[in-house]
Amino acid sequence: MKITRLLPVALAVALAAAGCSLESSTAAPAGTVKVVIGYQSKTINTVTAGTLLRAQGYLERRLQQITDAGGAKYQVEWQDYDTGAPITAQMVAEKIDIGSMGDYPLLINGSRTQAAERSRTELVSITGYNPKGALNMVVVPQDSPARSLTDLAGQKISASVGSAGHGTLVQALSRAGIDPAKGVEVLNQQPQVGATALESHQVSALSQFVAWPGLLVQQNKAKLLYDGAELNVPTFHGVVARRAYAAEHPEVLQAFLAAQLDATAFLNEKPFEAADLVAKGSGLPQEVVYLYNGPGGTSFDTTLKAKLIAAFKDDVNYLKSIGDFADLDIDAFVEDGPLRQAFAETGRDYDATLAESTNPSKVTGTDPVCAVPVTDPALAGEVWVEGAEKPQPAANPDCLLRAVQAAEAQGKTVRAAYVPDAELGTRWFADKAIWLREGTRYLPFTTQAAADRYRGTHPAATAVTYDQAVTEVRG
């Protein structure tokens, strides 16, 4: 993979400048404890430690409780960035105390911050994860002839080197038989720059983390080529804290983690309301936010699960593939003590939550069109009709198509419809999916490659457009 190599010193400078919308830092008044939070408003799998947490004021309220009980006064400063890299640079400089980012950036964070005791960080919680890896995707222009990742051999691909999207790209290329070092040329670009490059055909593809793939597809600026779930390797986002700050102000870290639990519970209990708050805080369309933050999307669970840490350990070699990074002892980097304490102090059971392997947020209820209970998460979807209080559940893809058909027949506007991929289970926009008809059954897929795989073993399946499927489906 051809990339512009970033030498260690140059990399630190680049990380500090890359993709941030830094809010001016102010000194705390005398006698006030300051905490600086680095987050990514548009990386919506970190919302329980960022955008949603900030919007709901959970952290400030918990810190105020400490003050009201006779403790110190606190000042919270939120700094918003586009990627995890500048958060790491600010933590190295001891200017951010707690930050959130994706798994590959977390590796770099751990590696870069371990050199000095004051900047050294620890992974203290997870924000959201996908058990198969669907948080990262590769998109191509709508008129691209590419049908699978192998069609990108020799092409230019935009990615933020060191990001979760780039890490997935490296793994995916290797599995596709393309040499990550020489088989493609990767342009190291921030997500917005890469989106522009893709739209102007300066690159053949863009590999990024949520919510960029969904946003570009929803805006009809791209189509999905590769679903990260094909790797079948967990991907996650998490929270890091500077050990020195946590040692000096343990009550702040405890308040933060308790507040993150508050935000996680709110999102899982009221995903549609949470998506509205995140949309307003991030500037992203609510339809895109709800794709990932809605039921059946990202698993929002704070616990440091063994399968996530095992995948994290396997990703360590990625550090060496992008530059001169120090090896990272994952076992020493991961610290679950503060989170366990936060669970206990808020009356929650850490070990019970740790043992859970299913998405805590599922599509439930009764399908109003097919008049059946929604029971199978692998089939359940949602239809969001303009003017409705919230999306309505669909028991399966056929019922979802019937719901869209009924709404359109009544002259209503469908703002979005969400359906799980028939092969990988990834929640996706129904109108952007690749559809096949097999007998009287309709099957949605996130990518053309997935549909082609299915047709390879089910020759009777025929391709149909989304509009055809909506028109033809019968009860």
Side-chain angles (χ1 to χ4, degrees):
M1 170 174 49
K2 289 182 177 179
I3 61 174
T4 302
R5 288 281 179 182
L6 299 173
L7 298 177
V9 174
L11 179 56
V13 175
L15 293 183
C20 69
S21 52
L22 178 60
E23 300 173 9
S24 59
S25 182
T26 57
T32 298
V33 175
K34 182 177 179 178
V35 55
V36 182
I37 311 296
Y39 75 111
Q40 304 169 64
S41 63
K42 289 182 171 57
T43 305
I44 55 179
N45 289 313
T46 64
V47 297
T48 54
T51 310
L52 181 62
L53 182 64
R54 182 180 186 180
Q56 290 292 81
Y58 289 132
L59 175 58
E60 288 81 355
R61 285 205 292 274
R62 286 197 171 272
L63 290 174
Q64 186 61 47
Q65 289 173 2
I66 297 175
T67 302
D68 292 344
K73 293 181 179 180
Y74 298 91
Q75 177 180 309
V76 180
E77 181 176 305
W78 297 87
Q79 296 184 359
D80 185 8
Y81 297 86
D82 293 326
T83 66
I87 296 176
T88 290
Q90 293 294 89
M91 296 187 91
V92 169
E94 302 173 32
K95 293 182 178 180
I96 286 180
D97 306 307
I98 301 172
S100 54
M101 59 195 72
D103 41 12
Y104 290 95
L106 285 168
L107 285 176
I108 295 174
N109 181 284
S111 175
R112 281 294 180 214
T113 62
Q114 301 309 300
E117 191 61 33
R118 292 288 304 173
S119 65
R120 190 176 182 183
T121 60
E122 57 191 6
L123 176 62
V124 295
S125 70
I126 302 299
T127 56
Y129 75 94
N130 184 281
K132 293 184 177 181
L135 304 186
N136 310 308
M137 295 174 165
V138 180
V139 295
V140 295
Q142 284 198 312
D143 59 357
S144 171
R147 294 176 69 92
S148 69
L149 202 63
T150 55
D151 294 324
L152 297 181
Q155 304 297 307
K156 292 181 179 180
I157 303 175
S158 176
S160 303
V161 174
S163 73
H166 180 244
T168 289
L169 177 65
V170 170
Q171 284 201 57
L173 288 172
S174 298
R175 288 202 188 181
I178 299 174
D179 184 350
K182 302 176 182 178
V184 297
E185 181 178 358
V186 172
L187 301 187
N188 184 13
Q189 298 175 325
Q190 289 301 298
Q192 307 95 312
V193 176
T196 300
L198 184 76
E199 193 174 1
S200 61
H201 290 78
Q202 297 176 41
V203 296
S204 298
L206 177 141
S207 182
Q208 280 295 355
F209 47 85
V210 295
W212 289 98
L215 175 64
L216 293 172
V217 170
Q218 191 258 356
Q219 292 177 333
N220 294 316
K221 295 179 179 179
K223 63 181 179 182
L224 187 61
L225 179 74
Y226 183 83
D227 183 344
E230 286 190 36
L231 287 175
N232 197 28
V233 175
T235 51
F236 65 90
H237 292 69
V239 176
V240 281
R242 287 197 301 113
R243 291 175 184 264
Y245 183 88
E248 293 167 1
H249 306 290
E251 79 285 0
V252 175
L253 179 57
Q254 289 307 132
F256 181 91
L257 293 173
Q260 187 191 347
L261 292 176
D262 295 337
T264 302
F266 178 77
L267 187 149
N268 285 327
E269 292 167 7
K270 299 181 178 180
F272 193 59
E273 293 88 336
D276 180 51
L277 289 169
V278 172
K280 291 173 180 175
S282 66
L284 293 167
Q286 189 176 352
E287 295 89 341
V288 174
V289 175
Y290 195 63
L291 170 69
Y292 297 107
N293 288 184
T298 301
S299 294
F300 283 93
D301 179 337
T302 61
T303 58
L304 295 151
K305 298 184 185 300
K307 63 182 178 182
L308 300 181
I309 304 307
F312 200 38
K313 290 179 178 179
D314 289 340
D315 293 339
V316 170
N317 287 334
Y318 170 74
L319 291 174
K320 297 178 181 178
S321 76
I322 62 170
D324 183 19
F325 287 93
D327 286 334
L328 179 62
D329 182 343
I330 299 298
D331 290 328
F333 182 52
V334 176
E335 176 55 69
D336 68 355
L339 184 59
R340 284 182 175 275
Q341 183 178 338
F343 263 78
E345 290 180 352
T346 57
R348 296 174 169 95
D349 188 332
Y350 183 87
D351 288 323
T353 307
L354 182 68
E356 286 291 336
S357 60
T358 59
N359 193 328
S361 181
K362 304 177 181 65
V363 180
T364 59
T366 299
D367 184 321
V369 174
C370 287
V372 295
V374 178
T375 58
D376 190 346
L379 298 175
E382 292 184 291
V383 177
W384 180 3
V385 178
E386 181 73 52
E389 291 185 1
K390 62 181 180 179
Q392 65 187 50
N396 55 54
D398 285 7
C399 291
L400 180 139
L401 293 171
R402 288 179 57 193
V404 173
Q405 183 188 79
E408 292 180 347
Q410 296 169 18
K412 298 179 180 178
T413 299
V414 175
R415 288 189 60 170
Y418 307 95
V419 65
D421 172 273
E423 178 191 40
L424 302 170
T426 302
R427 178 174 161 100
W428 197 237
F429 294 114
D431 64 328
K432 308 301 182 186
I434 308 298
W435 287 86
L436 298 179
R437 181 180 61 236
E438 188 174 28
T440 59
R441 187 172 63 137
Y442 291 85
L443 303 169
F445 298 88
T446 55
T447 65
Q448 186 63 56
D452 290 345
R453 284 192 295 271
Y454 188 87
R455 292 186 70 183
T457 56
H458 299 77
T462 58
V464 293
T465 68
Y466 170 71
D467 289 337
Q468 280 181 290
V470 170
T471 300
E472 298 171 357
V473 68
R474 295 289 183 270

